Amino acid sequence: MWHRIFLLLALPALLLVPSCSLQTLHPIPIDYEQVSDHEKIVIRFSHVVGEDTPKGQAARLFAKLMKERTNGKVEVQVFSNSSLYTDSEELDALSKGHVQIIAPALSKLTHLVPELGAFDLPFLFSSLEGYHQVFAGPIGKDISESLEEWEMVVLGFWDSGFKQFTNNLRPVRRPLDLAGTTIRIMPSAVLDEQFNLMQVNPVQMNFDDVYRALEQGWIHGQENTVSNIYTKRYHTVQKYMTISDHGYLGYVVVINKRFLQQLPEDVQNVIKKTMEEVSDWERKQAVKLEQEKLKEIYNCRCIEIERLTEQDKVIWKEFYKPLYEKMEQQLGRSFFRELGL
Ligand code: LMR
């Protein structure tokens, strides 16, 4: 009798145990070891920018090469323009396995890896190669290891390029020219401090919302790369643009770690190898697209364009020194020495 009562009470709990632990072990419901050669492996790659940007084009190239190299076994589906997830949602979507690859701006991961904040320092390096060298060295390795602790495997570091200011109030030549304005920034404490120094009111906002905010006059301006400005048509709703090259917009391409590890080893290798090649291509394409899109912006004659001279930049760099000092205190002298500062 007691035996039967115990069984009645305990059975549901006993039945639940295996399903709970399975769920914890395999949060992604597909077991790739069971996938036959005839079935596809689908990789969803979500990003927030336009198709005609370095990231947009490189994501598509990756999809094309993966299809060719795996005879169609791996299908990479690219979702651009925040069509699946916005920037503030995509990390969560990656961790839950709703998408498998994302390529967020470094700034958007600074809350997970504070060292990434260093790349938001204005005028850190004057050429993109300066950033590439750091990513290829010990700092890049440390960043990858830190992101692995967050269940992401780094597949590559991509460029968008250097950021430029746009606004609808006045031309910008000096650091305090934007004082009193409201400017959209990406989520990063360093960017926040940078704009506070400039006596600007910085507003963190999803990329997808910026055009409307500019058009409606909810904010006065923003900072972004030429390809993002052009593809999102900011130049058509802003009066002034300064080619300042003041900040770097780079991406880290990450894949969900559990997803990657469940894939057959040959597929994992194709992904890594293909991404290496695509990353080289992407960096070159970023430079090319910046030139092309800047020409288009000049041609539209719809925005007044200034360009900072090397002498102007000396003044700006001097202005930002307190920000560097603060960051050095936070990240340490040895980290700054590794950056070459
Ligand atoms: C932004 O939010 O401005 C950028 O990070 C968008 C992007 O991914 O280039």
Side-chain angles (χ1 to χ4, degrees):
M1 164 80 171
W2 285 114
H3 182 70
R4 286 220 320 260
I5 291 176
F6 169 79
L7 264 184
L8 270 175
L9 291 174
L11 198 58
L14 287 174
L15 284 174
L16 272 178
V17 169
S19 72
C20 286
S21 56
L22 261 183
Q23 249 181 13
T24 341
L25 282 174
H26 300 287
I28 300 161
I30 304 165
D31 178 357
Y32 282 100
E33 282 177 10
Q34 304 305 317
V35 170
S36 79
D37 279 349
H38 305 292
E39 291 181 84
K40 275 184 183 158
I41 294 170
V42 174
I43 299 178
R44 295 181 1 140
F45 186 156
S46 167
H47 68 81
V48 299
V49 293
E51 297 273 340
D52 213 9
T53 56
K55 181 159 61 179
Q57 292 188 355
R60 285 209 314 276
L61 177 63
F62 176 68
K64 178 175 170 282
L65 293 177
M66 283 303 297
K67 187 176 173 188
E68 285 168 13
R69 291 173 184 185
T70 63
N71 294 322
K73 179 173 171 176
V74 176
E75 180 181 318
V76 179
Q77 300 173 347
V78 180
F79 299 89
S80 59
N81 283 307
S82 312
S83 56
L84 265 193
Y85 296 104
T86 63
D87 11 10
S88 56
E89 297 164 339
E90 62 183 8
L91 259 181
D92 189 47
L94 183 82
S95 78
K96 290 186 174 140
H98 299 324
V99 296
Q100 288 70 41
I101 298 184
I102 58 173
L106 301 176
S107 319
K108 293 172 186 169
L109 298 177
T110 49
H111 62 299
L112 303 182
V113 182
E115 286 74 14
L116 285 173
F119 302 100
D120 281 332
L121 282 168
F123 300 106
L124 178 62
F125 300 119
S126 55
S127 74
L128 293 173
E129 283 69 39
Y131 296 87
H132 299 167
Q133 273 173 25
V134 173
F135 297 138
I139 291 185
K141 195 166 168 276
D142 288 348
I143 292 170
S144 300
E145 281 170 11
S146 302
L147 286 172
E148 256 200 79
E149 284 168 26
W150 291 98
E151 297 299 314
M152 294 176 237
V153 174
V154 173
L155 294 175
F157 289 95
W158 289 1
D159 289 335
S160 180
F162 284 111
K163 290 183 285 186
Q164 327 295 348
F165 296 112
T166 67
N167 84 99
N168 61 10
L169 285 182
R170 55 187 93 102
V172 172
R173 287 291 294 274
R174 294 286 177 262
L176 289 178
D177 284 347
L178 281 171
T181 61
T182 299
I183 301 289
R184 181 266 174 172
I185 59 166
M186 288 184 273
S188 149
V190 179
L191 295 179
D192 210 56
E193 302 243 5
Q194 176 195 341
F195 282 87
N196 282 331
L197 262 180
M198 295 161 73
Q199 297 175 23
V200 162
N201 172 32
V203 186
Q204 296 182 2
M205 188 182 282
N206 276 338
F207 182 60
D208 201 33
D209 296 326
V210 180
Y211 176 85
R212 195 163 149 75
L214 292 171
E215 190 205 24
Q216 296 291 317
W218 298 329
I219 53 174
H220 298 108
Q222 61 83 47
E223 53 158 15
N224 223 309
T225 55
V226 167
S227 61
N228 276 343
I229 291 171
Y230 180 78
T231 50
K232 288 292 170 189
R233 317 304 288 164
Y234 299 162
H235 59 295
T236 64
V237 290
Q238 294 272 267
K239 289 197 182 119
Y240 304 100
M241 175 166 171
T242 300
I243 308 297
S244 48
D245 291 338
H246 65 274
Y248 172 68
L249 173 46
Y251 308 118
V252 57
V253 187
V254 284
I255 186 163
N256 179 303
K257 187 174 160 186
R258 284 162 301 166
F259 172 80
L260 182 72
Q261 286 172 347
Q262 287 174 54
L263 294 176
E265 213 173 303
D266 58 333
V267 174
Q268 291 189 31
N269 290 337
V270 182
I271 290 175
K272 288 178 187 163
K273 180 87 195 33
T274 304
M275 194 54 94
E276 258 173 47
E277 287 172 41
V278 171
S279 299
D280 286 344
W281 180 89
E282 196 273 352
R283 286 175 169 177
K284 292 186 192 103
Q285 195 64 5
V287 174
K288 191 165 164 259
L289 283 180
E290 178 180 278
Q291 289 162 358
E292 284 174 21
K293 304 300 179 202
L294 187 58
K295 223 184 249 170
E296 300 280 350
I297 296 177
Y298 271 110
N299 287 346
C300 85
R301 295 177 188 282
C302 51
I303 186 164
E304 207 179 297
I305 304 176
E306 299 263 334
R307 188 181 277 274
L308 293 190
T309 63
E310 287 311 307
Q311 280 160 334
D312 292 330
K313 286 183 185 172
V314 173
I315 296 169
W316 283 75
K317 285 179 193 169
E318 188 62 28
F319 177 84
Y320 285 132
K321 266 192 174 160
L323 185 58
Y324 274 73
E325 283 159 13
K326 195 164 177 182
M327 276 306 279
E328 187 174 333
Q329 270 171 18
Q330 280 174 21
L331 299 176
R333 176 86 279 267
S334 62
F335 180 79
F336 264 54
R337 208 175 297 119
E338 268 188 84
L339 278 176
L341 302 177

